[in-house]
Amino acid sequence: MRTFVHGGAAWGVACPRRPGRVAGVSMAGFRVRDLDALRMVPHPAVTLLLEFGAGSPVLDYAAGRQQRGSLAAGPGLGSGGAVRAWGENVECVQVRLSPVIARAVLGASPALLDGAVVPLGDLWGREASRIREQLGDASSWQGRFALTDALLARRHEAGPPVDPEVAWAWHRIVVSRGLARVDGLAAEVGWSRKRLWSRFRSQLGLPPKRAVKLVRFDHAAHRLVAGEAAAQVAADAGYADQSHLHRDVMAFTGATPATVADEPFLAVDYMAWPSRGTPAKPHVSGDLRLGRRPEVRRLPL
C-alpha cells in the first residue's frame, strides 16, 4: 500500500498486482483515517464502493440526503458538484465498471441508478453483507482484490450481456475520447436512431449524447490535473474554445477548470488507476498545486 498526500490528509492506496478476470473492471483499495468533504467528480463508469472497516463512508447528495456504507452509483455521479464524500477510518475497495458489463454485474440495468446512489444491499441482497464480512476477514489487500474479482466474475458470467451494437457504440465513444459523431453511430450499426438511443439508455444507463460529453469531460479533466493549459486542453479535446471547456467543467463539477485541476478525487487516479497515466509535471513532495504530483511513500501490505 502506498500513501497519497493532499494537504493535511493522507490516504492509503492499494492496487491489484494481477489483471482481473473480466474486461472492463478496475479496482483500487483505500484506507483513509479522516476523509473530509471530498468532491465527487463525475466519471464515465458505474462505481461500486465495498466498505468493510470500522468506519463508514458517507455520501451527501440531493438536497441533504445521505447514503452510508457499501453502494452502487451510476455514470456521472456528482454532476453539478452536488455530491460530497466524507467519513472517518474508512476502508473500502472501490470498483469501476464499464457500463457495458455493469448490467450483468449489478443484476439490474444501470438506468436504475441514473446519476443516483443505491445501497448495494438493494441490488445484491445478502451477497452484499457476505462480501463485506469476507473483505474484513481477509489478511491483505491482494486477498481482498481476489475475493472481489471472483465475485464480479461470477456475477458477470450469470448476468445478461448488452447488445453487441450497444457495446460497439460505447467502444466508439470511448476510443474517440468523446469525439465520435453521435448522429452517425446508429447508421454505423445499422439501427434506427430511436432504437439505438432506447437500447443504449436502458442497457448502459445514460443516452449516447450524455455519454459523449461525459467521456470528453473525463479526458479533459485528467489533462488539467496533469498540468496542461486549459486552452490547449480545450483545443485538443474537441471543445469549440476555452469558454466551452469552462462551461462544461462547471456543468459537471460546479467548479472552474483551475479548481478541478487540484481535486484530490482526480489527482489520486494516477496511483489508484495506473492506466490513467501519470501527471506530466515533475515530482514535488507533498505539493498538489496545479500539475504537481503528491508525495508517495511505501507502506507494508
Side-chain angles (χ1 to χ4, degrees):
M1 175 166 275
R2 296 185 293 170
T3 299
F4 169 83
V5 178
H6 187 279
W11 307 356
V13 183
C15 299
R17 292 177 183 154
R18 300 180 180 86
R21 305 182 201 182
V22 181
V25 172
S26 57
M27 65 182 82
F30 294 95
R31 179 181 292 147
V32 190
R33 177 170 296 180
D34 187 7
L35 183 61
D36 185 20
L38 173 71
R39 186 199 310 265
M40 301 296 288
V41 178
H43 182 77
V46 170
T47 298
L48 304 180
L49 196 66
L50 310 178
E51 61 87 16
F52 58 88
S56 179
V58 180
L59 259 64
D60 284 322
Y61 69 104
R65 287 189 295 167
Q66 290 186 347
Q67 176 61 53
R68 296 175 179 267
S70 297
L71 54 87
L77 174 72
S79 290
V83 180
R84 295 289 193 278
W86 57 276
E88 295 181 354
N89 300 315
V90 173
E91 291 184 286
C92 65
V93 173
Q94 183 181 340
V95 180
R96 289 177 175 176
L97 301 174
S98 165
V100 170
I101 66 166
R103 184 171 67 156
V105 172
L106 293 176
S109 170
L112 296 175
L113 303 176
D114 194 19
V117 178
V118 175
L120 196 58
D122 289 359
L123 298 172
W124 287 1
R126 294 180 61 184
E127 197 161 38
S129 57
R130 188 158 54 245
I131 189 61
R132 185 186 192 282
E133 294 174 1
Q134 292 173 337
L135 292 175
D137 290 340
S139 60
S140 70
W141 282 103
Q142 298 308 313
R144 295 180 185 112
F145 294 138
L147 286 167
T148 305
D149 182 55
L151 171 61
L152 299 177
R154 184 171 66 250
R155 292 189 63 89
H156 177 260
E157 184 177 355
V162 304
D163 293 329
E165 294 84 355
V166 171
W168 186 89
W170 173 259
H171 176 73
R172 288 275 287 115
I173 291 170
V174 171
V175 298
S176 72
R177 293 176 172 172
L179 297 180
R181 293 179 59 86
V182 175
D183 291 339
L185 292 175
E188 292 180 32
V189 301
W191 280 4
S192 69
R193 184 182 185 278
K194 182 178 180 181
R195 183 182 186 189
L196 178 60
W197 261 236
S198 174
R199 296 288 184 89
F200 197 103
R201 170 72 176 82
S202 65
Q203 295 183 15
L204 302 191
L206 70 173
K209 187 174 182 180
R210 174 73 171 174
V212 164
K213 292 184 66 175
L214 183 55
V215 169
R216 181 179 61 183
F217 158 77
D218 180 66
H219 173 63
H222 281 89
R223 290 186 60 174
L224 292 171
V225 172
E228 298 186 38
Q232 187 63 51
V233 172
D236 293 345
Y239 291 95
D241 51 30
Q242 189 172 340
S243 295
H244 184 195
L245 170 67
H246 184 96
R247 291 194 301 272
D248 216 37
V249 171
M250 287 291 296
F252 274 114
T253 68
T256 66
T259 299
V260 167
D262 195 34
E263 287 292 341
F265 185 91
L266 296 172
V268 74
D269 271 16
Y270 89 93
M271 184 187 296
W273 320 99
S275 62
R276 299 273 0 170
T278 59
K281 298 294 182 180
H283 171 81
V284 178
S285 177
D287 192 341
L288 263 184
R289 289 173 296 182
L290 181 60
R292 298 190 176 186
R293 291 175 58 182
E295 177 185 0
V296 178
R297 298 197 300 270
R298 292 282 183 181
L299 295 179
L301 291 177

